[in-house]
Amino acid sequence: MCIRDREKLRTIIEVMKVEKSDWSWTKNYYSEEAQQTINERAATISKEELEAGQHAWTDLIAEVEAAATHEDPASEHAQELAKRWKALVHEFTGGDAGLHDGLNKLYNDPTHWPKDFKRPWSDRADRFIRTAMNCQA
């Protein structure tokens, strides 16, 4: 597993811990095989890697939030943000289709999220980054 894959996974795990929420509900979105993969990968990630991944996501989300207020999703900068977003997602999934599928199911099903769960980016940023990713060839 590459360092970036570890960073992405650590970021997600750390965010779950930092929020101090019961994240067991997220398991419903992943197959048993995907859950096992997450657990195995989580065991190999250092605290430093986890923090670096968390910072990468925090920085990227802030940039996407800012860009979503005034930029065209097809702009060069927006496309660079979309590439970075996809790269961080790939770091978590490691190219594993089961992890990717579960992650997509999770973030595309807000009606079943616990009331205290809040996506770490706004609806405006979500629309922006999705549009930007759809502009890519």
Side-chain angles (χ1 to χ4, degrees), residues 5-33:
D5 290 341
R6 290 181 181 154
E7 289 173 0
K8 171 68 176 185
L9 182 58
R10 284 180 203 274
T11 298
I12 292 172
I13 293 167
E14 186 63 25
V15 167
M16 290 177 179
K17 289 178 183 176
V18 169
E19 294 289 327
K20 296 182 181 177
S21 296
D22 177 10
W23 285 80
S24 61
W25 63 273
T26 63
K27 291 181 181 182
N28 296 330
Y29 295 95
Y30 295 95
S31 68
E32 287 185 30
E33 294 82 14

Side-chain angles (χ1 to χ4, degrees), residues 40-64:
E40 290 169 356
R41 292 175 64 192
T44 66
I45 298 172
S46 72
K47 180 180 178 183
E48 292 78 21
E49 290 172 317
L50 185 60
E51 289 173 359
Q54 184 176 7
H55 288 297
W57 270 110
T58 300
D59 293 346
L60 179 57
I61 289 169
E63 289 182 58
V64 169

Side-chain angles (χ1 to χ4, degrees), residues 5 10 29 35 59 64 68 71-72 97-98 107-108 113 120 122-123:
D5 290 341
R10 284 180 203 274
Y29 295 95
Q35 290 177 41
D59 293 346
V64 169
E71 289 190 35
D72 179 347
Y107 279 102
N108 287 314
W113 295 346
S122 69
D123 289 343

